[in-house]
Amino acid sequence: MSKMKQGFFSKSISYKIIAPLCLLVLVIQVFNSFIFSSRIAKRYEIELSEANLETTNQISNNIHLALKNIVNEMIPVKNQMISFEMQHDMEKMKTGYTEVNVIYQGMFSKLLSSGDNFLFISSMLVLDKRNKIYYLSQNQSVQLRNDNLFEKVKKDYHLKEYCQWSGVISESYYFNNKKEDIVSIFMPYVEYGEVKTIFVVNLSIKHIQQYIDRLSNEQGNILLQIGGDYLYSDNLNKMQLEEDLSLKSILQSEKRDQQAMSDSFFVGTKSLDINSWKVSSLLPKSNIKEASSVMGQFFTFIIITTSLVMILGVFITVYFVTKPIKKMRKIIEANRITKERSHRFHSKYKDEVGVLADSYDHMMDEINQYTADLKKEQAERRIADFKMLQLQIKPHFLYNTLEAAKFLVQMNDPNGVDMLTAIGKFYKLSLSGVIDKIEIRDEIEHLSYYLKILKMRYSSIYDYNIEIDEEVKSFEIIKFSMQPIIENAVYHGIKKQRKKGAIIVRGYIEDNSITLSVWDNGVGISEEKLEEIRYQLKHSKQLRVVDHIGIINVHQRINMEYGDPYGVNIESIQDKYTRVSLRLPLKKYTEEKNE
């Protein structure tokens, strides 16, 4: 018995869990031949969704064929109309308005008599550029508007295609005494690039609504989207549609064909090829719940029985499995609260927990070593940061700047006050703690005061401009990254030449990263010196941070923080220009991290 126990507990955790569970499942299968999982319900939903999409396709095909038949019948009528117009030019022949109207009446009757067109078409108009208007309607009591409909239609709809659809408009667009909603189909006749005649057929929204209600009674809940307007069957609850915000999002989607699920409905959507209208079939989720409730009741007892048996077996199994793990957790907790991390776990068995315990002991030893190395590295970094901060606040820069401000004040120059203000704000930002990272907007503000001070001291030497995209300013940057570059541009570029200098600071997003650049038209850098600087930038990891200030220091700090390919890049042509660029990642600044 002791050997069997030893053998079992020396097995893997997988064996100790799977073996009892397999035995439990075997016993359960004797009493329950089939155990249905939630996958059946999911499959049931998928099948209903697919069936709903198939219904959508059928409905959209019906509506598409009905509308396509109208367009197909309009084409020969349009061709007949054009032929008639060419043979009976009203300016040259004496065919009367009444005779022409009779001929168009025949065309209108032919259009109505095809298929089910009479169910949709409410009226027909023929407009030409001479403001000759012929209209026919199933309701003869209409009264035409007096304004120039030809020019109005051409201007409002920019007619170019052979067939063009309007959105939902009112009949009052054409007639004075009609207020029903319609959709217009335009077929322009274009000659030498100019619209000569417009053939218009108006479809009644009321009749389309009736057609949708008829289809809905046969095949389900239908919603027709015409541009931004919706027509839906009577058996749909309007309030429920308005409250279902996710349904609105689905209907407003640009996807041409889709099946989706809103808060209350399964939604199948298909766009009509002929005019981009969208037909949606809505299947309420409540129908599925009612259908699945009986299934749920049937399997409830089986699920409860199975769960109780399995829970009992799992509790027993987990107890033996987790006992050593709990012991390891206590050791880990003890190491967490002690600096020495000297507690170790020696497993009795060589299963996965035993292997994990050995790995943990080795990891603790390595962590202790890494901690010692990290403390040493942090100490060196603090020295480097402190030295860098000291170099940013050079005493001779402060002294010379204050002397310049003193002279301006003594001369009653108003720029003296501005200069003292800029000095105060510059050193306020410079001495505001030792936070390693700040927002780019703060770095640029600090930089602008620095440039302003130098500009006042050397007003005749150079001009400067700062062009930073607004979207860049909220990202983070390592503090004092830009000032050494500006300092180099002024003292080693601009001051060493006789011509008027210029400094341009730019910031923008490029190639999924941020670029901050400082360009100056100073003396530039010789090719030999430029190659030396680039070599130092490329091999900056081998250089000590505390021994290198300026561009190399900035590159080291950025590259150590963000890795490749981030850091400093420099371009220069001697006696022409120098451009130093910082490449930074798209990383939003967060105060919590820096605190």
Side-chain angles (χ1 to χ4, degrees):
M1 185 68 182
S2 177
K3 289 184 178 179
M4 290 179 61
K5 180 180 178 182
Q6 181 76 15
F8 177 79
F9 287 106
S10 296
K11 298 290 185 180
S12 67
I13 293 178
S14 299
Y15 179 86
K16 286 183 283 190
I17 293 177
I18 292 173
L21 287 180
C22 287
L23 181 61
L24 289 172
V25 169
L26 181 62
V27 173
I28 293 171
Q29 289 293 348
V30 173
F31 299 96
N32 304 292
S33 299
F34 299 97
I35 297 178
F36 292 88
S37 66
S38 59
R39 294 179 60 186
I40 296 177
K42 186 67 176 177
R43 182 62 189 171
Y44 182 64
E45 289 184 1
I46 293 173
E47 290 178 355
L48 284 177
S49 179
E50 292 176 350
N52 188 53
L53 184 61
E54 181 63 27
T55 300
T56 306
N57 291 335
Q58 294 176 2
I59 295 171
S60 63
N61 287 337
N62 290 339
I63 298 176
H64 175 80
L65 290 175
L67 298 177
K68 185 177 180 181
N69 185 63
I70 295 174
V71 174
N72 288 340
E73 290 299 324
M74 285 178 64
I75 294 173
V77 173
K78 174 192 172 185
N79 294 335
Q80 186 179 356
M81 176 197 72
I82 294 171
S83 177
F84 176 79
E85 286 287 333
M86 293 175 65
Q87 295 175 13
H88 300 80
D89 190 330
M90 296 304 166
E91 293 180 358
K92 297 180 179 179
M93 301 186 68
K94 297 182 179 180
T95 306
Y97 179 87
T98 303
E99 296 177 34
V100 176
N101 200 61
V102 170
I103 294 173
Y104 284 150
Q105 178 67 53
M107 297 179 183
F108 184 55
S109 299
K110 181 181 178 181
L111 185 62
L112 291 175
S113 62
S114 175
D116 295 330
N117 291 356
F118 69 94
L119 294 176
F120 302 97
I121 297 176
S122 63
S123 60
M124 180 184 89
L125 296 94
V126 180
L127 315 174
D128 66 23
K129 67 176 185 177
R130 294 164 296 183
N131 204 25
K132 294 290 186 178
I133 303 174
Y134 300 92
Y135 65 93
L136 300 119
S137 173
Q138 294 197 55
N139 180 3
Q140 296 300 328
S141 61
V142 297
Q143 182 181 355
L144 196 68
R145 293 175 61 96
N146 294 324
D147 46 359
N148 192 337
L149 285 176
F150 176 83
E151 293 296 334
K152 182 177 181 181
V153 170
K154 191 170 73 168
K155 178 181 178 182
D156 290 347
Y157 293 99
H158 307 287
L159 299 179
K160 293 181 180 179
E161 302 177 5
Y162 82 96
C163 182
Q164 195 164 322
W165 296 70
S166 74
V168 177
I169 60 176
S170 174
E171 271 191 312
S172 59
Y173 186 86
Y174 304 104
F175 309 108
N176 286 328
N177 57 339
K178 298 293 289 182
K179 295 184 179 179
E180 293 185 2
D181 289 334
I182 59 172
V183 172
S184 294
I185 308 174
F186 306 104
M187 282 192 177
Y189 168 56
V190 181
E191 185 178 13
Y192 301 112
E194 181 182 1
V195 178
K196 299 291 186 180
T197 307
I198 304 173
F199 179 33
V200 185
V201 171
N202 296 321
L203 308 183
S204 171
I205 292 296
K206 181 175 69 175
H207 295 163
I208 295 175
Q209 178 71 62
Q210 293 172 355
Y211 184 71
I212 290 174
D213 292 337
R214 190 178 74 185
L215 289 177
S216 179
N217 292 331
E218 296 173 357
Q219 303 190 50
N221 304 312
I222 303 173
L223 187 146
L224 177 62
Q225 183 178 354
I226 304 175
D229 297 288
Y230 299 96
L231 304 180
Y232 48 86
S233 50
D234 290 337
N235 51 350
L236 282 173
N237 188 323
K238 182 177 180 181
M239 183 175 296
Q240 187 178 11
L241 292 175
E242 292 178 349
E243 291 176 352
D244 193 338
L245 299 179
S246 59
L247 176 61
K248 294 181 180 180
S249 176
I250 293 171
L251 296 177
Q252 293 170 2
S253 172
E254 294 297 328
K255 292 183 179 179
R256 182 175 178 81
D257 303 308
Q258 66 173 344
Q259 57 178 347
M261 186 169 58
S262 71
D263 295 337
S264 306
F265 299 96
F266 283 98
V267 184
T269 302
K270 185 173 180 61
S271 294
L272 303 183
D273 293 330
I274 195 168
N275 54 11
S276 298
W277 292 1
K278 287 187 178 180
V279 179
S280 299
S281 180
L282 308 182
L283 177 63
K285 288 184 178 179
S286 58
N287 293 2
I288 300 175
K289 291 181 180 178
E290 293 174 3
S292 60
S293 61
V294 176
M295 185 186 299
Q297 293 173 4
F298 176 76
F299 294 114
T300 299
F301 177 75
I302 296 177
I303 293 172
I304 293 175
T305 304
T306 305
S307 299
L308 290 175
V309 176
M310 292 187 67
I311 288 173
L312 179 62
V314 168
F315 266 109
I316 295 173
T317 304
V318 169
Y319 171 77
F320 291 106
V321 172
T322 58
K323 186 177 180 180
I325 297 176
K326 289 180 179 178
K327 183 178 178 181
M328 178 176 284
R329 183 184 63 81
K330 292 180 180 179
I331 291 175
I332 293 173
E333 187 67 20
N335 281 329
R336 185 183 67 82
I337 60 178
T338 57
K339 294 182 178 180
E340 293 79 12
R341 291 179 285 275
S342 59
H343 299 276
R344 298 292 182 268
F345 177 65
H346 304 287
S347 176
K348 185 177 179 181
Y349 307 106
K350 297 302 179 182
D351 56 4
E352 284 87 345
V353 175
V355 174
L356 181 63
D358 292 340
S359 299
Y360 175 77
D361 292 343
H362 290 304
M363 183 180 68
M364 286 296 100
D365 295 337
E366 292 178 356
I367 288 176
N368 287 336
Q369 182 61 43
Y370 290 155
T371 301
D373 295 341
L374 183 62
K375 287 180 179 178
K376 182 178 179 181
E377 182 181 343
Q378 288 177 338
E380 292 180 354
R381 182 171 181 175
R382 282 195 296 270
I383 293 172
D385 288 341
F386 181 72
K387 186 172 182 179
M388 184 272 300
L389 290 172
Q390 285 182 317
L391 291 170
Q392 299 301 323
I393 312 170
K394 296 180 179 179
H396 74 270
F397 172 77
L398 177 61
Y399 174 77
N400 292 338
T401 305
L402 290 175
E403 282 294 318
K406 175 183 175 182
F407 175 77
L408 292 174
V409 171
Q410 289 176 344
M411 297 298 295
N412 293 323
D413 191 327
N415 289 329
V417 176
D418 291 342
M419 190 170 185
L420 288 173
T421 302
I423 293 170
K425 291 183 177 180
F426 171 77
Y427 279 98
K428 180 180 179 181
L429 291 171
S430 299
L431 301 173
S432 59
V434 289
I435 297 174
D436 192 38
K437 302 181 191 70
I438 59 175
E439 277 191 312
I440 290 178
R441 71 175 75 253
D442 294 331
E443 180 73 2
I444 296 302
E445 181 184 4
H446 177 262
L447 193 66
S448 65
Y449 290 128
Y450 184 69
L451 282 165
K452 187 174 182 179
I453 293 170
L454 293 179
K455 170 69 176 174
M456 290 180 182
R457 287 179 56 185
Y458 310 109
S459 59
S460 61
I461 293 180
Y462 74 94
D463 292 321
Y464 70 90
N465 190 27
I466 300 178
E467 303 169 1
I468 305 295
D469 292 350
E470 189 63 33
E471 59 180 343
V472 169
K473 294 182 180 179
S474 59
F475 291 95
E476 75 173 24
I477 186 175
I478 297 178
K479 194 173 182 181
F480 298 131
S481 295
M482 298 292 291
Q483 183 183 329
I485 299 173
I486 294 295
E487 187 175 350
N488 285 347
V490 174
Y491 290 104
H492 301 295
I494 302 298
K495 288 185 65 177
K496 292 184 178 183
Q497 67 177 7
R498 294 183 178 182
K499 65 180 180 180
K500 183 77 171 184
I503 295 177
I504 301 176
V505 181
R506 290 191 175 94
Y508 50 89
I509 295 177
E510 181 182 45
D511 296 334
N512 203 31
S513 61
I514 297 172
T515 298
L516 297 175
S517 67
V518 177
W519 179 94
D520 70 82
N521 64 343
V523 297
I525 304 173
S526 66
E527 187 173 346
E528 294 78 12
K529 183 64 176 177
L530 184 61
E531 287 299 321
E532 179 184 349
I533 295 173
R534 286 175 175 170
Y535 179 85
Q536 291 179 336
L537 291 173
K538 184 177 180 180
H539 299 86
S540 62
K541 293 181 180 179
Q542 285 75 43
L543 304 176
R544 293 182 60 198
V545 176
V546 296
D547 292 338
H548 296 272
I549 308 303
I551 292 178
I552 306 299
N553 174 269
V554 172
H555 178 76
Q556 285 178 316
R557 296 171 67 210
I558 294 175
N559 191 256
M560 288 175 63
E561 179 66 30
Y562 303 118
D564 294 329
Y566 304 108
V568 176
N569 182 47
I570 184 168
E571 306 168 22
S572 182
I573 297 178
Q574 193 167 11
D575 297 325
K576 289 188 177 181
Y577 75 92
T578 298
R579 181 177 183 267
V580 181
S581 303
L582 302 184
R583 187 178 183 186
L584 303 170
L586 293 171
K587 194 172 184 181
K588 288 288 185 180
Y589 172 79
T590 54
E591 280 193 29
E592 294 84 357
K593 177 177 61 179
N594 283 292
E595 287 174 358

